[in-house]
């Protein structure tokens, strides 16, 4: 019988559990479907509640030191952690406490230990890209679906011979005693919601997309720009509850989108020059210690309009015209803006049902629910099966970390 642990998902929650178990001497296999660890927190720039980068990797190679690191950068070298990137769990069998897990390990086209991030391959072929300046491991990725003539040239000319275009996927089977599901959330892409024009107009973006634009490590070096032409943007309209609290999409409140919208509004009006922000809302829900983001925003001149967006249309090639119904004044307002930013619902991750069905987990609104609904052990979702972070529903980073630590403590206590 094995005493290793399987963790599915390498976002904040999965990584916290992995590092803390490994530091306690437990062998851990982490299966992450992307080619980088970090999940949705990879490009968040400043994080509430401290406005610091408290989930971070070591400074990236171009701007060393901009990201401080406490211990996550050791993840790749921690001997107790077997990190399987670009990988998926294919089958879980065996008994509780003695699981057999079959993992499909994706093709390793670029050897991350050899890649020195010189950028040559990205110049030669569009099949090579960088997921994020903060990606870990620090290496480019290759997408075979975008293969072009330049890809072979890149493979031949790569100075460290890091590229193998003929790499094949492999399979691995592990025996584990416990499984932690940390598959997180997905930010809804509201293409079907015609009234917002998302997917139709380039300057309609989501909050996660805005976070990438204002991150100093991003492609515009943190300057607020319009995706349509790359010109500086100055007029921003945000809209809350897009897809959340909506019986046609997700009936629940996504819990943290008021706070991250206010965080972004404050960054824009306080740290960028000549940017104005208006927020169209139904209610502002800044629970607990986050109320200060609302106070700060009001003091900094952010405009709040209680109402809904009625229509979005082009005003000029790079500007949008937005009609808002103000339910307090009972009148229609017209805004001309550079960016319309949608606070989209946090929805369950795509393709997660294969795992939740295989483990026979309880579900609520598409997220994982506790095994025993009346117990207070929300992280226990089955016999020797745990979940943490946003796999359990919308949550901020501190909550995700606390849940991951609760899982670790339960696993360790059970072994005493
Ligand atoms: C715009 C925005 C701003 C935010 N700002 C803040 C902030 O300032 N402060 C804060 O505390 N929180 C913030 N959050 C919330 C924060 O993103 C989450 O709390 C945190 O990322 C949750 O981490 P997680 O590990 O639970 O999930 P995720 O980050 O979603 O990680 C899940 C991981 O699992 C992987 N995965 C999924 N399915 C599978 C599968 N089947 N097999 C293998 N791997 C899989 C994913 O690829 C991903 O890497 C913000 C969220 C948004 C949308
Ligand atoms: S050419 Fe080679 S070393 Fe340079 S970025 Fe591409 S894979 Fe990495
Ligand atoms: S947190 Fe705010 S924006 Fe998000 S669904 Fe709830 S009320 Fe709407």
């Amino acid at each position: 019988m094995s005493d290793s642990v399987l963790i599915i998902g390498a976002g904040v929650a999965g990584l916290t559990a992995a590092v803390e178990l490994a530091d306690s001497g437990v062998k851990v296999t982490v299966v992450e479907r992307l080619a980088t660890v970090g999940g949705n927190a990879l490009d968040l720039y400043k994080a509430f509640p401290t406005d610091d980068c408290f989930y971070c990797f070591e400074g990236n190679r171009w701007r060393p030191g901009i990201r401080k690191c406490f211990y996550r950068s050791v993840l790749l070298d921690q001997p107790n952690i077997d990190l399987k990137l670009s990988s998926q769990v294919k089958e879980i069998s065996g008994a509780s406490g003695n699981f057999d897990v079959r993992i499909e390990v994706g093709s390793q086209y670029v050897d991350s230990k050899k890649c020195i991030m010189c950028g040559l391959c990205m110049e030669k072929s569009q099949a090579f890209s960088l997921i994020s300046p903060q990606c870990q491991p620090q290496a480019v990725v290759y997408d075979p679906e975008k293969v072009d003539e330049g890809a072979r040239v890149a493979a031949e000319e790569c100075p460290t011979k890091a590229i193998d275009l003929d790499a094949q996927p492999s399979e691995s089977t592990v025996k584990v005693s416990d499984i932690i599901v940390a598959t997180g959330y997905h930010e809804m892409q509201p293409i079907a919601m015609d009234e917002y024009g998302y997917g139709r107009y380039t300057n309609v973006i989501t909050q996660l997309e805005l976070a990438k634009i204002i991150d100093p490590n991003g492609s515009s070096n943190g300057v607020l720009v319009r995706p349509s032409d790359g010109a500086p943007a100055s007029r921003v309209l945000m809209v809350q509850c897009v897809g959340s609290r909506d019986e046609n999409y997700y009936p629940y409140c996504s819990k943290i989108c008021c706070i991250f919208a206010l965080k972004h509004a404050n960054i824009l009006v306080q740290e960028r020059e000549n940017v104005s922000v208006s927020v169209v809302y139904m209610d502002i829900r800044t629970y607990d210690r986050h109320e200060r983001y609302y106070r700060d925003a009001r003091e900094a001149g952010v405009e709040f309009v209680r109402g809904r967006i009625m229509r979005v249309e082009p005003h000029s090639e790079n500007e949008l015209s937005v009609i808002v119904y103000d339910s307090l004044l009972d009148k229609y307002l017209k805004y001309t803006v550079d960016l319309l930013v949608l606070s989209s619902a946090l929805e369950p991750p795509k393709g997660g049902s294969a795992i939740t069905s295989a483990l026979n987990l309880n579900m609520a609104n598409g997220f994982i629910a506790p095994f025993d609904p009346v117990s207070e052990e929300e992280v226990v979702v089955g016999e020797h099966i745990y979940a943490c972070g946003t796999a359990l529903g919308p949550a901020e980073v501190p909550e995700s970390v606390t849940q991951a630590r609760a899982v670790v403590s339960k696993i360790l206590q059970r072994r005493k």
Side-chain angles (χ1 to χ4, degrees):
M1 186 171 151
S2 167
D3 57 5
S4 296
V5 173
L6 171 75
I7 300 178
I8 310 172
V12 175
L15 289 184
T16 302
V19 172
E20 302 219 345
L21 282 168
D23 285 349
S24 308
V26 178
K27 296 253 181 241
V28 178
T29 299
V30 181
V31 176
E32 165 57 52
R33 69 176 165 194
L34 300 180
T36 175
V37 301
N40 280 298
L42 201 56
D43 300 292
L44 287 185
Y45 179 34
K46 286 188 175 181
F48 63 75
T50 54
D51 289 338
D52 196 6
C53 168
F54 58 89
Y55 170 76
C56 43
F57 304 124
E58 62 192 333
N60 73 57
R61 292 179 194 181
W62 296 304
R63 308 188 65 180
I66 197 162
R67 302 257 164 186
K68 292 167 284 162
C69 172
F70 44 108
Y71 60 81
R72 303 210 191 278
S73 59
V74 301
L75 184 83
L76 305 175
D77 301 317
Q78 206 328 333
N80 284 339
I81 298 179
D82 177 13
L83 178 62
K84 295 193 183 308
L85 293 171
S86 309
S87 300
Q88 304 233 35
V89 169
K90 287 314 247 186
E91 193 185 351
I92 301 173
S93 55
S96 289
N98 196 15
F99 300 99
D100 293 305
V101 183
R102 194 159 61 81
I103 301 163
E104 185 184 273
V105 182
S107 314
Q108 304 298 306
Y109 297 110
V110 176
D111 184 338
S112 59
K113 289 207 165 76
K114 288 187 183 168
C115 177
I116 53 168
M117 299 263 276
C118 68
L120 179 142
C121 54
M122 290 190 281
E123 283 165 23
K124 301 280 176 196
S125 164
Q126 58 168 10
F128 293 91
S129 63
L130 187 63
I131 296 181
S132 157
Q134 279 84 249
C135 65
Q136 195 70 263
Q138 287 263 288
V140 298
V141 292
Y142 171 71
D143 180 352
E145 290 190 4
K146 293 187 183 159
V147 66
D148 52 21
E149 286 177 6
R152 288 267 162 220
V153 180
E156 277 160 27
E157 294 186 7
C158 168
T160 58
K161 300 288 169 229
I163 302 170
D164 175 7
L165 296 185
D166 302 317
Q168 295 295 318
S170 59
E171 248 189 39
S172 155
T173 304
V174 292
K175 279 191 175 295
V176 296
S177 60
D178 300 88
I179 297 178
I180 303 174
V181 187
T183 44
Y185 70 94
H186 180 253
E187 186 194 45
M188 178 191 178
Q189 311 287 286
I191 291 171
M193 303 181 85
D194 209 39
E195 64 271 38
Y196 298 120
Y198 183 80
R200 204 162 67 242
Y201 306 123
T202 328
N203 292 336
V204 181
I205 60 175
T206 64
Q207 292 284 359
L208 262 185
E209 289 163 352
L210 175 65
K212 285 187 191 175
I213 295 176
I214 60 179
D215 188 330
N217 282 314
S219 56
S220 66
N221 294 324
V223 175
L224 181 69
V225 291
R226 295 189 295 222
S228 64
D229 61 351
S234 59
R235 295 154 300 171
V236 178
L237 187 68
M238 295 184 179
V239 55
Q240 300 307 103
C241 300
V242 172
S244 307
R245 305 172 69 202
D246 181 337
E247 292 301 327
N248 294 316
Y249 296 92
Y250 297 106
Y252 54 83
C253 165
S254 290
K255 193 168 127 182
I256 58 169
C257 18
C258 279
I259 312 163
F260 60 63
L262 293 174
K263 173 187 75 168
H264 286 165
N266 286 332
I267 290 171
L268 293 180
V269 293
Q270 291 171 6
E271 298 177 16
R272 304 293 186 273
E273 276 177 20
N274 301 323
V275 176
S276 66
V277 179
S278 303
V279 180
V280 180
Y281 70 99
M282 294 206 289
D283 305 290
I284 294 290
R285 296 185 173 176
T286 47
Y287 62 98
D288 194 18
R289 61 208 186 285
H290 304 303
E291 183 68 8
R292 83 166 170 86
Y293 284 88
Y294 179 60
R295 277 200 309 273
D296 289 353
R298 291 206 81 105
E299 277 166 24
V302 173
E303 182 194 29
F304 289 88
V305 181
R306 189 169 196 281
R308 296 306 290 160
I309 300 260
M310 305 312 292
R311 205 169 64 243
V312 181
E313 54 195 25
H315 178 76
S316 68
E317 207 180 324
N318 294 300
E319 295 169 304
L320 296 164
S321 189
V322 186
I323 306 294
V324 176
Y325 172 64
D326 185 324
S327 60
L328 292 179
L329 299 177
D330 189 21
K331 70 179 195 192
Y332 292 90
L333 310 172
K334 184 174 174 185
Y335 286 81
T336 303
V337 298
D338 297 300
L339 283 175
L340 176 62
V341 184
L342 309 179
S343 296
S344 268
L346 272 54
E347 62 184 9
K350 305 280 178 206
S353 58
I355 291 166
T356 53
S357 315
L359 295 173
N360 204 16
L361 304 185
N362 293 335
M363 307 299 288
N365 288 320
F367 291 100
I368 300 169
F371 180 52
D372 177 358
V374 292
S375 90
E376 290 186 353
E377 300 192 309
E378 66 170 340
V379 298
V380 181
V381 299
E383 186 61 23
H384 288 277
I385 308 169
Y386 306 86
C388 52
T390 46
L392 288 162
E396 55 175 24
V397 170
E399 199 178 346
S400 304
V401 167
T402 305
Q403 289 166 342
R405 290 188 174 143
V407 170
V408 170
S409 134
K410 286 199 180 302
I411 291 175
L412 295 179
Q413 267 173 15
R414 211 170 163 158
R415 291 175 179 204
K416 272 187 181 167

